[in-house]
Amino acid sequence: MALVPCQVLRVAILLSYCSILCNYKAIEMPSHQTYGGSWKFLTFIDLVIQAVFFGICVLTDLSSLLTRGSGNQEQERQLRKLISLRDWMLAVLAFPVGVFVVAVFWIIYAYDREMIYPKLLDNFIPGWLNHGMHTTVLPFILIEMRTSHHQYPSRSSGLTAICTFSVGYILWVCWVHHVTGMWVYPFLEHIGPGARIIFFGSTTILMNFLYLLGEVLNNYIWDTQRRMEEEKEKPKLE
């Protein structure tokens, strides 16, 4: 019974991401019509990552409920694969990319919103949708991390994967600039080539740091939980 609230919560989060994606795609913005469309923005890529991740979470919950007590080894094997995929996605993509988008967006926004989210966008994107893309991602992923234990991959493979994602996105941004002559993010227009290299390198380092932060946080949450359970199981001295 303890799993039911978590299952309902994951379904609600998945539906919220589907709603955000549908509303975002329905907006007719000039940037959506240019080369790369929505896929040139890390925010949109992150929304897709989060929606796919929570979709896998919901599918894992359903499979777990259907498999429980069945004794079918093939179903259990498939369930273990789903759980491994769910854990890998949280560790390598959902947590580091989600936290990166929230942190970097609001830091730059607080410094000068015109550099990351020009005031003109308020005419296209309502406030609730902006927060759905750039704020609620963080509490949603923290809730998931708190409600389910996730097995992280080996540190070397995890860092390799997040580095591959980071470098791949940087190359994609550079390619969009090569094709269109314009940078995806306005602030990149106002800094020199050397500063861009430093920025891109810093973002890759930050992604790696966030991966390690997620690993530490996951271990802390569940080591604390394990200790609390062990304390409860100890017989009370009379």
Side-chain angles (χ1 to χ4, degrees), residues 66-187:
L66 294 173
T67 304
R68 187 177 301 160
S70 68
N72 189 311
Q73 292 185 351
E74 178 60 24
Q75 287 183 348
E76 291 177 356
R77 188 174 66 85
Q78 295 299 326
L79 176 59
R80 285 194 294 272
K81 285 184 177 180
L82 268 178
I83 292 173
S84 296
L85 177 60
R86 179 200 67 184
D87 293 350
W88 185 89
M89 275 209 69
L90 177 124
V92 172
L93 294 175
F95 183 87
V97 178
V99 176
F100 179 90
V101 166
V102 173
V104 173
F105 175 84
W106 287 112
I107 288 171
I108 298 177
Y109 186 98
Y111 177 74
D112 182 359
R113 68 167 296 176
E114 294 299 319
M115 296 176 68
I116 190 74
Y117 191 82
K119 195 171 181 61
L120 176 66
L121 292 178
D122 291 342
N123 298 323
F124 299 95
I125 303 175
W128 70 267
L129 186 56
N130 180 30
H131 284 291
M133 297 187 297
H134 298 115
T135 305
T136 58
V137 173
L138 181 57
F140 284 169
I141 203 65
L142 290 176
I143 288 170
E144 170 59 27
M145 186 172 278
R146 177 62 184 84
T147 54
S148 294
H149 178 262
H150 297 273
Q151 184 66 44
Y152 266 60
S154 67
R155 185 167 293 180
S156 59
S157 65
L159 290 174
T160 299
I162 191 62
C163 278
T164 301
F165 175 85
S166 301
V167 173
Y169 181 69
I170 290 169
L171 292 175
W172 169 233
V173 168
C174 292
W175 177 255
V176 171
H177 175 261
H178 172 73
V179 172
T180 65
M182 296 183 64
W183 289 103
V184 173
Y185 303 103
F187 71 90

Side-chain angles (χ1 to χ4, degrees), residues 149-150 152 155 214-224 226:
H149 178 262
H150 297 273
Y152 266 60
R155 185 167 293 180
E215 183 180 34
V216 170
L217 184 59
N218 181 69
N219 292 337
Y220 172 77
I221 290 171
W222 291 99
D223 285 347
T224 303
R226 192 180 302 112

Side-chain angles (χ1 to χ4, degrees), residues 9-77:
L9 187 59
R10 290 185 186 108
V11 170
I13 292 174
L14 173 61
L15 291 176
S16 73
Y17 277 123
C18 291
S19 174
I20 290 168
L21 280 168
C22 289
N23 279 276
Y24 179 74
K25 290 297 291 181
I27 296 172
E28 295 184 1
M29 288 196 302
S31 60
H32 289 182
Q33 312 304 320
T34 57
Y35 183 82
S38 304
W39 290 98
K40 58 181 174 284
F41 300 110
L42 186 60
T43 293
F44 179 77
I45 294 172
D46 178 50
L47 287 174
V48 173
I49 289 172
Q50 302 299 329
V52 171
F53 169 68
F54 279 99
I56 292 172
C57 288
V58 170
L59 184 58
T60 301
D61 288 338
L62 290 174
S63 297
S64 180
L65 289 173
L66 294 173
T67 304
R68 187 177 301 160
S70 68
N72 189 311
Q73 292 185 351
E74 178 60 24
Q75 287 183 348
E76 291 177 356
R77 188 174 66 85

